[in-house]
């Protein structure tokens, strides 16, 4: 029987070999970093879907805790598989000495799948000597890979969750890595460690906080995922100039991250009560089927993001065969439901015609020939933050703030105005 240490080394070598063959590790420096970091040390416990009972009688997913003690073979095999491992639900740290089966819940922390970690670090264009701010330490696995690449002294990693950070610290220390770990709100960066050559967010944001732009060295880059309350995602790589402005393209692919906690959608109560607001509203035929922005396919991924840009305060929920959109900030509602002619119809109420806005945005996208997402760019300057394409109207990301984004002086010129502290996020 192979001893666990040897088995872990063999599985790690195989994982790196698979990632390399699949094109995720084209750079030999990153390949060596992945070869050096034992992932199992960073995931002493996680949840996997139950193999015997994937859902309970109510249709709620059943999640089984997996640890070295409860199921050593499944634990080690999953640790070196290319999959995301859920480590926390609803912001509550499990007791891994006596873990319990979970029925449903909202993911609040995870070990990112290795191929995504590789993609993230490669896309950030990190080189020797770069000082890097990582937002979202999580288990610390990606932090360890980064330390292996650029050295612990060049790494600052922040996370809102003190329990997660403590676990990451233990694992990093066990492996000999000593980055600066900070329990802090990642949306505000980490001013004492600035300026950074690279800022990389392992969580998604509704916009790029000006604080992060200010803390990035002129010529440095910010890699972040833009997301929102509708659930759309798109990644951007911004290059920052000496004025704290940034511009850069959206990146190809269908990658998504959990939302930063301050940017997560608010709860809006019973959707059926919101649906009653459109009971007496006029009905019109819907040009767009709901699947255009919510289908589980590649064709829906980027239109979903554009729809979100059009209605940044909207959330969606299924009501039987209908799709309900709710905007809690304006009190606007849209209900898209099947029509008698096998098409779709929509009823809307409130000051914002949510479905009209989405259809207008996607009609512009169609007229432009459905351009690739990497032909769009994000611009952040004194006028706000914009998603732009030369053949389409621009989307103003500043609307997600409820106010215009103000540019703050960069560190080194004067102290930052209104630099918050104590606010939590990841």
């Amino acid at each position: 029987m192979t001893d666990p240490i040897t088995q872990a080394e063999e599985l790690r070598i195989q994982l790196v070999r698979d990632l390399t063959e699949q094109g995720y590790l084209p750079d030999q420096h990153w390949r060596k970093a992945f070869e050096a970091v034992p992932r199992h040390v960073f995931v002493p416990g996680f949840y996997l879907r139950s193999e015997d009972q994937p859902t309970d009688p109510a249709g709620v997913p059943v999640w089984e805790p997996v640890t070295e003690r409860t199921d050593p073979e499944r634990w080690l095999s999953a640790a070196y598989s290319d999959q995301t491992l859920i480590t926390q639900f609803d912001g509550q740290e499990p007791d891994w000495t006596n873990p319990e089966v979970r029925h449903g819940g909202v993911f609040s922390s995870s070990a990112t799948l290795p191929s995504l970690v590789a993609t993230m670090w490669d896309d950030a264009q990190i080189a020797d000597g770069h000082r890097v701010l990582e937002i979202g330490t999580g288990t610390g696995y990606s932090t360890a890979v980064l330390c292996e690449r650029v050295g612990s002294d060049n790494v600052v990693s922040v996370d809102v969750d003190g329990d997660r950070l403590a676990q990451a610290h233990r694992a990093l220390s066990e492996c000999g890595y000593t980055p600066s770990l900070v329990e802090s709100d990642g949306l505000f960066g980490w001013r004492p460690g600035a300026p950074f050559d690279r800022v990389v967010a392992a969580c998604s944001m509704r916009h790029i906080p000006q604080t992060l732009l200010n803390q990035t060295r002129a010529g440095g880059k910010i890699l972040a995922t833009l997301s929102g309350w509708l659930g759309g995602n798109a990644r951007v790589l911004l290059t920052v100039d000496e004025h704290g402005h940034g511009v850069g393209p959206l990146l190809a692919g269908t990658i998504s991250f959990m939302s930063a906690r301050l940017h997560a959608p608010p709860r809006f109560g019973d959707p059926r009560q919101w649906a009653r607001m459109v009971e007496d509203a006029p009905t019109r035929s819907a040009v767009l089927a709901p699947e255009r922005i919510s289908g589980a396919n590649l064709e829906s991924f980027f239109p979903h993001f554009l729809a979100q840009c059009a209605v940044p305060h909207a959330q969606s929920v299924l009501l039987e065969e209908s799709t309900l959109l709710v905007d809690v900030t304006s009190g606007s509602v849209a209900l898209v439901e099947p029509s008698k002619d096998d098409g779709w119809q929509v009823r809307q109420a409130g000051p914002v015609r949510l479905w009209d806005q989405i259809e207008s945005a996607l009609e512009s996208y169609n007229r432009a020939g459905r351009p690739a997402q990497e032909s769009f760019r994000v611009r952040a300057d004194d006028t706000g933050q914009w998603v732009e394409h030369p053949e389409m109207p621009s989307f103003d990301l500043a609307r997600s703030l409820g106010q215009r984004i103000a540019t703050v002086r960069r560190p080194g010129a004067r102290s930052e105005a209104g630099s918050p502290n104590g606010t939590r996020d990841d």
Side-chain angles (χ1 to χ4, degrees):
M1 181 176 179
T2 305
D3 72 90
I5 295 177
T6 301
Q7 186 178 3
E9 291 177 350
E10 292 174 351
L11 289 171
R12 183 165 75 250
I13 292 170
Q14 184 59 53
L15 173 63
V16 174
R17 183 181 296 121
D18 291 343
L19 294 177
T20 302
E21 291 176 352
Q22 294 165 19
Y24 291 111
L25 291 173
D27 185 303
Q28 64 172 338
H29 297 96
W30 288 116
R31 191 157 57 248
K32 291 179 179 178
F34 274 83
E35 288 173 345
V37 178
R39 192 183 188 218
H40 70 278
V41 175
F42 295 87
V43 286
F46 46 84
Y47 289 94
L48 297 177
R49 284 291 290 272
S50 171
E51 295 177 338
D52 298 328
Q53 185 187 16
T55 59
D56 64 17
V60 176
V62 177
W63 297 91
E64 295 177 342
V66 180
T67 69
E68 183 178 13
R69 180 180 60 82
T70 60
D71 193 340
E73 290 189 9
R74 191 182 185 195
W75 167 73
L76 197 58
S77 175
Y80 287 102
S81 64
D82 189 29
Q83 65 175 314
T84 296
L85 303 174
I86 306 304
T87 55
Q88 189 189 81
F89 288 88
D90 303 320
Q92 300 174 355
E93 186 67 13
D95 177 7
W96 291 114
T97 62
N98 189 28
E100 298 179 349
V101 172
R102 294 268 331 188
H103 289 251
V106 177
F107 307 155
S108 52
S109 188
S110 66
T112 303
L113 68 163
S115 61
L116 179 49
V117 174
T119 298
M120 179 177 73
W121 291 138
D122 188 60
D123 284 345
Q125 301 176 11
I126 293 170
D128 292 345
H130 277 170
R131 183 163 176 78
V132 184
L133 172 66
E134 177 191 35
I135 299 174
T137 312
T139 65
Y141 173 67
S142 60
T143 315
V145 172
L146 179 61
C147 289
E148 188 68 35
R149 175 66 179 87
V150 299
S152 296
D153 291 345
N154 285 323
V155 177
V156 177
S157 186
V158 302
D159 201 293
V160 67
D161 191 318
D163 291 328
R164 290 280 83 209
L165 203 65
Q167 169 60 42
H169 178 264
R170 288 191 291 270
L172 286 160
S173 297
E174 181 178 338
C175 295
Y177 302 113
T178 57
S180 296
L181 299 180
V182 183
E183 183 180 356
S184 180
D185 186 333
L187 292 178
F188 300 111
W190 182 240
R191 177 63 184 87
F196 299 99
D197 298 287
R198 296 291 185 270
V199 175
V200 180
C203 62
S204 62
M205 308 170 177
R206 300 184 72 196
H207 59 275
I208 306 298
Q210 184 62 46
T211 312
L212 299 183
L213 291 159
N214 294 338
Q215 292 179 16
T216 303
R217 195 186 308 277
K221 297 180 185 294
I222 298 174
L223 177 66
T225 299
L226 296 172
S227 71
W229 296 352
L230 203 58
N233 287 270
R235 293 185 310 142
V236 62
L237 183 64
L238 289 182
T239 300
V240 181
D241 66 17
E242 65 275 13
H243 304 294
H245 301 160
V247 64
L250 296 182
L251 303 183
T254 56
I255 291 171
S256 61
F257 278 100
M258 296 179 188
S259 292
R261 293 184 188 178
L262 279 183
H263 284 191
R267 298 184 181 184
F268 59 85
D270 187 345
R272 293 167 296 183
Q273 295 183 4
W274 287 89
R276 293 191 188 105
M277 294 176 60
V278 296
E279 285 181 347
D280 299 324
T283 301
R284 72 163 176 85
S285 296
V287 176
L288 188 71
E291 289 81 4
R292 185 74 178 98
I293 64 169
S294 62
N297 53 59
L298 295 177
E299 290 73 23
S300 298
F301 188 87
F302 189 59
H304 190 176
F305 174 74
L306 294 179
Q308 177 178 269
C309 290
V311 287
H313 299 297
Q315 301 177 64
S316 68
V317 63
L318 290 177
L319 287 178
E320 296 179 349
E321 297 181 357
S322 302
T323 296
L324 178 72
L325 298 182
V326 174
D327 178 346
V328 297
T329 64
S330 68
S332 302
V333 184
L335 183 67
V336 186
E337 52 195 349
S339 60
K340 295 179 180 179
D341 61 358
D342 295 327
W344 295 91
Q345 61 186 29
V346 59
R347 289 179 286 159
Q348 304 176 89
V352 180
R353 292 299 186 255
L354 300 174
W355 202 249
D356 290 0
Q357 296 282 83
I358 290 174
E359 288 188 339
S360 176
L362 293 191
E363 285 172 1
S364 296
Y365 177 59
N366 290 338
R367 285 196 298 271
R370 299 187 180 185
Q373 64 195 59
E374 55 267 36
S375 65
F376 289 75
R377 73 170 189 170
V378 172
R379 173 172 55 87
D381 56 26
D382 293 345
T383 68
Q385 292 192 10
W386 306 86
V387 176
E388 301 177 325
H389 190 276
E391 299 180 25
M392 288 181 59
S394 298
F395 297 101
D396 184 359
L397 293 178
R399 287 185 300 167
S400 68
L401 298 175
Q403 60 184 9
R404 183 63 64 198
I405 297 172
T407 300
V408 183
R409 289 185 179 273
R410 295 172 59 78
R414 295 180 183 176
S415 61
E416 288 185 18
S419 182
N421 55 61
T423 308
R424 289 175 164 263
D425 198 12
D426 58 5

